[in-house]
Structure formats: structure tokens, C-alpha cells
């Protein structure tokens, strides 16, 4: 029995050892086969690979690589733009898509030329490095130019789509603007009535029709907003943003017209205060001028001062407070003549002091006149010609010169010239607007 047990155990051990050896042999064979396969593949790739030859300089290689990349990108961009153009035409129509179509046509033309140059590069013999560089550079230029044009057109249509997407929100803002501006109409109309009762028709002429015009514009804006709102229900509508923009423009113009009434009221009040101050100051100056006339160094100087005194007295005796701008212009002109006549009778210190005292008032007058003219032109941009605008620009320039000059006498001359140009601009603007 013991012998049989030992024999059975020996048999099991032999069988286990045999199984292990067989497994090891099989695994080794698999490893050998896999390694041999890998070596064969590497050897075959090495055989198929072209022999290394000295390549072109790095700059030429980079140029060719860049040209190839851009050519592929443009080819893809043209295909994508072709799809986008179809969507744009379907959404916005042929007319609004015309520039996109033209850009795509130009890109196709550039792409065709670029492929032709690429074909030449592929078939070009060795030793034509200069020509190859030129062709690659041409490809790069064509591709970059066309790519940018297509990108710009795509961006423009993306902006149009965003405008249509944002149209409901913008429409709400326009409606609020129309309501808020309409609520101001009665108040501004009342203010205009007060101005009409205090000042002459000529004084308020720049804004006399502003309230009525603002009402018409607000009606137009409200109707445009409602039309835009009705178009929102149409999922294929592409003109909602344009309608909203038109309504906003009308409402904004109406707002500016109402603002101009308030601004003119403030300007006229400032001019009235300036007129009162200048009249009081001129009466004081007249006393000094009479003394200077009586003590003039020569008869001609005395006669000139006497004539200027008479002119100022005449203006003071006929001041029209209902038209402060016109009265200011007349009084300032008379005072300027008096200043000129007194110039030879004053020493330099006195002239500077007087000019400095007069300068602040003339600057206020010039600023007020420029502001009134600017408001008038801003509310009637389409109806005012170049002559009025150029004179207003010169008035603004002279005002800046006057404010920057350290010599009060020179500054006073510049400020007075500024006021003169501004009044001329205002007269021309009114003439243009009522033609």
C-alpha cells in the first residue's frame, strides 16, 4: 500500500512538471514570433522610406509648410463659406448677401490660382529655389487675403444674426425711450411757451418748431416699434432689427429736439444776465471814457473816443431785453469800438486789466452762442450746409485760442472773433434750415 501511494505521488509530480515545461515553451515561442514580426515590420518601413538627402534651408521649408497649411485652410474655408452664403441668402436675401458672394467669388479665384502654383511647385525641377520661394509667397498672400475677407464677411453676418436675435430686447428699450420722451413733451411745451412770452420770436426761432417736430417723430417711432413687434411673430423675418433701429433713430432725434428747447432757455437766461452785467459795466466805463476824451493827448484821439462814447450811449438807450443775443452783439460791438478808441489813451497795465475784466464776459457770450448754434445744427443735421458748419468750426477754434492765450488783449480779440463767427454760423444755419 505504501508503495502504491509513493508511486501515485511521483506520477502527479511528473505530470505537473511536464505541464509547466510545456507552458514555458509555448510562451517563449509566442515571444519569439512577436519579436520577429516587429523586426520584419521595422525593416520593411526602413526599406520603403526614401533615402535622406540634404533638404532646403529651414526658412524655405517653413515657407512651403506655411503655404501648404494656408492652402488647406482656404480650401476648407471656401467650402464652409459656400454653405454659409446659402444660409445668408435664404435669411437676408440676395441684396444684403452681395458682398459675401463677391468675397466668395474672389476667394475661389485665389484658391484656383494657389492650386495652380502648388502644382507648379510639385513639378518644378531642382535648382529653382528662388522661383519656389516666390510661388510659395504668392500662395501665402492669396490665402491670407481671401481667408481674411471670408472671415470678415462671416463676422458681418454673425453680427446681423445677433442683431435679429437681440431685436426683442432692443425693441423693449426703444419702447421705453418713446414713452419717456413722450412724457417730457408737455413740460417742454410749457417751457417753450414761457420762452415765447419772455423773448422775441427771433430769439426763440431756433427751437420754435421743436415740440411739434418731436411729436411727429415720436409718432413715427411708436409706429415703427409696433411694426417691428408685429414682425417678431414671423420666424423668417430678417428686418426686425432694422425697424427697431429706425424707431430708435426717430425717438433719439425727438429727444434731442426737446433737449434743445431746455438748452436754449438756459442760454437765453445766461445771455440776459450777461447783457445786464455788460450794460452796468459799460455805464461805468463811459464815465472813464469821457474823462479820457476830455484829456486826450491830441484832437484826433479825443474825436475817436467821443464817437465811441456816443455809439455806446446809443446802444444802451435802445437795448431790447427780449432778444438778448442781438442786444449783446450790438453792445459788445459798441464796447469793442470804445476799447479800441481808448487804447491809445491807456497805458499797457490799464489795457491788460480792462481786457482781463472784459474777457470773461466775452468768453461766456462766445460759449453761449456756440452752444446755441451747435444745438440748432445737431437737431437739423440734414438741412444745414457746409458754410454754417465751417464758420461754427472756426468759432470753436478761436474760442480755444482765446482760452489758451496768456495775453488778455489778444485773447479778447480772439474771443470776440469767435462770437462773430458763431453768430454768422447761426444766421447761415437758420437760412439753410428754412430754405
Amino acid at each position: 500500500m505504501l508503495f502504491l501511494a509513493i508511486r501515485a505521488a511521483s506520477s502527479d509530480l511528473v505530470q505537473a512538471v511536464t505541464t509547466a515545461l510545456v507552458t514555458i515553451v509555448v510562451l517563449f515561442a509566442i515571444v519569439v514570433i512577436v519579436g520577429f514580426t516587429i523586426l520584419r515590420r521595422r525593416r520593411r518601413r526602413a526599406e520603403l522610406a526614401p533615402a535622406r538627402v540634404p533638404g532646403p534651408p529651414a526658412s524655405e521649408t517653413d515657407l512651403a509648410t506655411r503655404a501648404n497649411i494656408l492652402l488647406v485652410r482656404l480650401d476648407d474655408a471656401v467650402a464652409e463659406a459656400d454653405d454659409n452664403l446659402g444660409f445668408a441668402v435664404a435669411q437676408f436675401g440676395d441684396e444684403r448677401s452681395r458682398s459675401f458672394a463677391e468675397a466668395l467669388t474672389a476667394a475661389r479665384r485665389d484658391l484656383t490660382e494657389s492650386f495652380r502654383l502648388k502644382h507648379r511647385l510639385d513639378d518644378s525641377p531642382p535648382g529653382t529655389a528662388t522661383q519656389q520661394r516666390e510661388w510659395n509667397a504668392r500662395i501665402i498672400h492669396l490665402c491670407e487675403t481671401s481667408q481674411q475677407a471670408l472671415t470678415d464677411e462671416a463676422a458681418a453676418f454673425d453680427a446681423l444674426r445677433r442683431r435679429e436675435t437681440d431685436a426683442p430686447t432692443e425693441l423693449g428699450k426703444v419702447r421705453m425711450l418713446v414713452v419717456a420722451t413722450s412724457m417730457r413733451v408737455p413740460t417742454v411745451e410749457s417751457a417753450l411757451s414761457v420762452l415765447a412770452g419772455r423773448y422775441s420770436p427771433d430769439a426763440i426761432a431756433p427751437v420754435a418748431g421743436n415740440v411739434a417736430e418731436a411729436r411727429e417723430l415720436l409718432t413715427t417711432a411708436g409706429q415703427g416699434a409696433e411694426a417691428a413687434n408685429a414682425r417678431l411673430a414671423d420666424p423668417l423675418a430678417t428686418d426686425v432689427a432694422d425697424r427697431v433701429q429706425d424707431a430708435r433713430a426717430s425717438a433719439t432725434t425727438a429727444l434731442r429736439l426737446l433737449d434743445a428747447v431746455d438748452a436754449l432757455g438756459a442760454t437765453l437766461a445766461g445771455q440776459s444776465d450777461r447783457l445786464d452785467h455788460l450794460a452796468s459795466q459799460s455805464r461805468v466805463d463811459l464815465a472813464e471814457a469821457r474823462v479820457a476824451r476830455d484829456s486826450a493827448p491830441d484832437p484826433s484821439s479825443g474825436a475817436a473816443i467821443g464817437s465811441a462814447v456816443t455809439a455806446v450811449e446809443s446802444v444802451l438807450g435802445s437795448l431790447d431785453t427780449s432778444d438778448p443775443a442781438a442786444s449783446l452783439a450790438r453792445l459788445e460791438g459798441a464796447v469793442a469800438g470804445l476799447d479800441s478808441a481808448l487804447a491809445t489813451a491807456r497805458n499797457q497795465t490799464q489795457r491788460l486789466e480792462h481786457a482781463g475784466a472784459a474777457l470773461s464776459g466775452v468768453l461766456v457770450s462766445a460759449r453761449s452762442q456756440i452752444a446755441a448754434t451747435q444745438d440748432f445744427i445737431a437737431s437739423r443735421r440734414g438741412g444745414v450746409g457746409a458754410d454754417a458748419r465751417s464758420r461754427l468750426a472756426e468759432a470753436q477754434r478761436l474760442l480755444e485760442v482765446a482760452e489758451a492765450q496768456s495775453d488778455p488783449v489778444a485773447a479778447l480779440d480772439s474771443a470776440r472773433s469767435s462770437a462773430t463767427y458763431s453768430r454768422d454760423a447761426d444766421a447761415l444755419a437758420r437760412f439753410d434750415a428754412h430754405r
Side-chain angles (χ1 to χ4, degrees):
M1 292 296 291
L2 180 59
F3 175 76
L4 292 175
I6 293 173
R7 185 177 179 180
S10 299
S11 177
D12 291 339
L13 179 61
V14 171
Q15 185 176 2
V17 171
T18 301
T19 302
L21 289 173
V22 171
T23 301
I24 292 172
V25 170
V26 170
L27 290 174
F28 178 77
I30 292 173
V31 170
V32 171
I33 292 172
V34 170
F36 180 73
T37 301
I38 293 174
L39 289 174
R40 285 191 60 190
R41 288 180 179 176
R42 288 182 177 177
R43 184 179 301 170
R44 183 169 181 79
R45 280 199 297 267
E47 292 173 353
L48 293 176
R52 286 186 173 271
V53 295
S59 59
E60 295 179 21
T61 302
D62 293 343
L63 195 67
T65 301
R66 184 182 175 194
N68 291 336
I69 293 173
L70 291 175
L71 183 57
V72 172
R73 288 179 180 174
L74 181 59
D75 192 26
D76 292 340
V78 167
E80 183 179 356
D82 191 41
D83 294 337
N84 289 338
L85 178 60
F87 296 142
V89 171
Q91 187 174 6
F92 298 103
D94 291 330
E95 184 62 29
R96 298 180 73 176
S97 306
R98 180 174 299 172
S99 62
F100 198 170
E102 292 173 351
L104 180 56
T105 299
R108 286 197 182 103
R109 184 174 59 249
D110 291 345
L111 182 63
T112 298
E113 182 179 351
S114 297
F115 275 128
R116 180 173 55 82
L117 292 172
K118 172 62 177 170
H119 181 68
R120 288 183 180 179
L121 285 166
D122 292 340
D123 292 345
S124 60
T128 58
T130 301
Q131 185 68 69
Q132 289 175 353
R133 282 196 298 271
E134 292 177 355
W135 288 342
N136 279 318
R138 177 63 177 168
I139 291 174
I140 291 172
H141 171 72
L142 292 172
C143 291
E144 287 183 336
T145 302
S146 294
Q147 181 85 48
Q148 186 61 51
L150 293 178
T151 300
D152 292 344
E153 290 297 332
F157 275 93
D158 287 342
L160 281 176
R161 294 185 180 101
R162 285 195 298 272
R163 283 185 64 206
E164 295 299 327
T165 302
D166 297 341
T169 301
E170 296 302 316
L171 178 58
K173 295 178 181 178
V174 170
R175 280 176 157 175
M176 292 176 62
L177 177 61
V178 171
V179 171
T181 306
S182 299
M183 292 176 65
R184 283 189 57 195
V185 170
T187 302
V188 176
E189 186 174 33
S190 177
L192 185 59
S193 298
V194 171
L195 293 178
R198 181 178 177 183
Y199 300 105
S200 68
D202 288 340
I204 65 170
V207 299
N210 281 25
V211 173
E213 189 175 350
R215 276 201 177 97
E216 294 178 1
L217 287 169
L218 288 171
T219 298
T220 300
Q223 293 172 347
E226 291 307 315
N229 185 57
R231 294 288 289 164
L232 285 175
D234 183 358
L236 299 178
T238 59
D239 59 347
V240 178
D242 290 338
R243 291 174 181 266
V244 171
Q245 181 62 32
D246 291 342
R248 180 189 289 107
S250 297
T252 300
T253 303
L255 178 62
R256 288 175 178 169
L257 288 170
L258 298 180
D259 288 341
V261 175
D262 292 338
L264 181 62
T267 297
L268 290 173
Q271 289 173 340
S272 296
D273 292 341
R274 167 62 184 155
L275 180 61
D276 293 341
H277 175 75
L278 182 59
S280 299
Q281 183 63 45
S282 297
R283 292 184 180 96
V284 174
D285 292 341
L286 281 174
E288 180 184 347
R290 293 187 187 101
V291 172
R293 177 194 59 192
D294 297 338
S295 59
D298 55 77
S300 60
S301 297
I305 295 173
S307 297
V309 167
T310 301
V312 173
E313 290 174 339
S314 175
V315 172
L316 288 174
S318 60
L319 285 180
D320 181 9
T321 57
S322 68
D323 192 352
S327 296
L328 262 177
R330 292 178 58 226
L331 184 55
E332 286 174 346
V335 169
L338 181 60
D339 289 342
S340 178
L342 290 171
T344 57
R346 293 193 181 105
N347 58 42
Q348 185 64 16
T349 302
Q350 289 174 322
R351 289 181 64 231
L352 292 176
E353 290 176 351
H354 186 81
L359 177 60
S360 60
V362 176
L363 286 175
V364 169
S365 178
R367 293 189 191 105
S368 298
Q369 182 63 55
I370 288 174
T373 306
Q374 284 176 327
D375 288 337
F376 182 82
I377 293 176
S379 61
R380 295 168 178 82
R381 288 197 178 277
V384 178
D387 290 342
R389 296 170 189 266
S390 63
R391 281 169 173 76
L392 178 60
E394 181 62 10
Q396 291 172 315
R397 186 190 72 81
L398 288 171
L399 178 60
E400 293 174 356
V401 170
E403 291 172 336
Q405 283 177 326
S406 59
D407 182 0
V409 176
L412 185 59
D413 290 339
S414 297
R416 284 170 174 162
S417 297
S418 173
T420 299
Y421 273 103
S422 181
R423 285 193 293 270
D424 292 343
D426 182 76
L428 287 171
R430 289 200 218 177
F431 175 79
D432 290 343
H434 291 88
R435 278 195 297 183

